[in-house]
Amino acid sequence: AYAYEKYLTRIPVEYIDLSFIIDEVNIKKDIFYKLISFFTDKLFAIITLIVSSPFLLIGVIARLIEDGRPVFIKQQRVGLNGKIFNIYKLRSMVAISPDGSAETNGPVWATGKDDKRITRVGRIIRKLHIDEIPQMLNIINGDISLIGPRPERPEFVEMLSKDIPYYSFRHIVKPGFTGWAQVKYRYANSILTSKEKFEYDLYYVKNRNIFMDFGICLRTIQIIFTH
């Protein structure tokens, strides 16, 4: 298990049990880590909103021209300790339901950049990550951190918790705008890929620290400007 964790930077679900949670994971962390994370989150979110506001405005105008309202959408996500909150996005898919979602019969797995529900404007704002800018409000509100496991929708959490042991373990830390699983893994669109992605979340929950968070930030910035 140690070699697996060291070289693949993920922890197999099969090695997780209550003793792992008790012996290996420091849920509270130290006060220095918490203070640094708190102030870094708020500062990053405020600066990002200010700097990116012209791009967000252009995205809003383009969204209105292409197919009108709603411009923004909100989706329920599962946060710290299983608490439900609304995450905000600039709409990038077709609006099928009254709330602007691209679904009529419940949540559907996202399939990445080739998802047929994404509009032409949506492809551009996704490519430039403009659709994610409103989530800075979630960081300011304290719903999510800058770094952490990506929050999932309640329906997916309920389903995955039945098939993936200790899946709810990822909720003992605040979810993040970006995270270890996001920079190390692709889209998860099945139970199998969600299980693999969860193993990266387990690695982060166990090993998170200021330096790791900083590295994830740098890698995220690199991905944004090169993909």
Side-chain angles (χ1 to χ4, degrees):
Y2 174 76
Y4 194 106
E5 177 181 349
K6 180 179 179 181
Y7 294 107
L8 297 181
T9 63
R10 53 192 255 216
I11 299 176
V13 171
E14 291 75 17
Y15 289 97
I16 302 303
D17 55 23
L18 290 178
S19 64
F20 170 87
I21 297 173
I22 295 171
D23 299 334
E24 300 290 343
V25 178
N26 180 4
I27 299 176
K28 295 182 179 180
K29 283 294 178 181
D30 57 76
I31 189 67
F32 177 75
Y33 177 83
K34 285 188 173 183
L35 285 174
I36 292 294
S37 297
F38 177 84
F39 289 111
T40 301
D41 285 353
K42 307 301 182 186
L43 183 61
F44 176 88
I46 292 171
I47 292 175
T48 299
L49 277 177
I50 294 173
V51 172
S52 63
S53 58
F55 302 101
L56 181 59
L57 179 59
I58 293 172
V60 168
I61 295 172
R63 174 82 282 150
L64 287 170
I65 292 174
E66 183 181 43
D67 62 354
R69 298 175 182 274
V71 174
F72 298 99
I73 62 170
K74 61 181 181 180
Q75 292 179 337
Q76 284 193 333
R77 297 294 173 98
V78 180
L80 180 64
N81 298 323
K83 180 182 178 181
I84 305 297
F85 68 96
N86 289 317
I87 202 167
Y88 304 104
K89 289 187 175 184
L90 179 63
R91 181 169 62 85
S92 62
M93 294 185 176
V94 292
I96 297 177
S97 299
D99 63 355
S101 67
E103 303 144 341
T104 55
N105 297 313
V108 178
W109 290 107
T111 56
K113 62 182 180 181
D114 296 323
D115 197 311
K116 303 300 182 183
R117 298 172 294 170
I118 303 174
T119 69
R120 286 178 295 177
V121 167
R123 294 189 186 282
I124 296 173
I125 63 176
R126 280 192 169 216
K127 179 72 175 178
L128 300 175
H129 299 276
I130 296 173
D131 61 316
E132 307 284 354
I133 295 174
Q135 290 173 47
M136 296 302 106
L137 295 175
N138 287 113
I139 294 179
I140 293 173
N141 289 339
D143 300 318
I144 63 176
S145 294
L146 177 58
I147 309 295
R150 190 69 180 148
E152 282 288 359
R153 300 175 72 169
E155 297 85 353
F156 289 142
V157 170
E158 182 179 0
M159 177 182 64
L160 294 172
S161 295
K162 296 177 182 178
D163 294 285
I164 303 175
Y166 296 98
Y167 186 77
S168 60
F169 182 60
R170 71 199 302 273
H171 301 135
I172 68 170
V173 299
K174 189 177 291 188
F177 174 74
T178 186
W180 185 243
Q182 280 61 52
V183 301
K184 299 291 288 186
Y185 200 70
R186 61 187 185 279
Y187 270 96
N189 54 13
S190 68
I191 293 175
L192 178 60
T193 55
S194 294
K195 175 178 174 290
E196 293 181 32
K197 199 167 186 177
F198 173 55
E199 292 179 344
Y200 286 102
D201 286 332
L202 287 174
Y203 180 88
Y204 175 76
V205 171
K206 177 185 175 183
N207 297 286
R208 62 197 174 106
N209 56 63
I210 294 296
F211 300 104
M212 186 179 186
D213 287 356
F214 183 67
I216 293 172
C217 283
L218 293 180
R219 178 58 179 151
T220 300
I221 293 171
Q222 181 185 18
I223 292 172
I224 289 175
F225 286 103
T226 58
H227 288 64

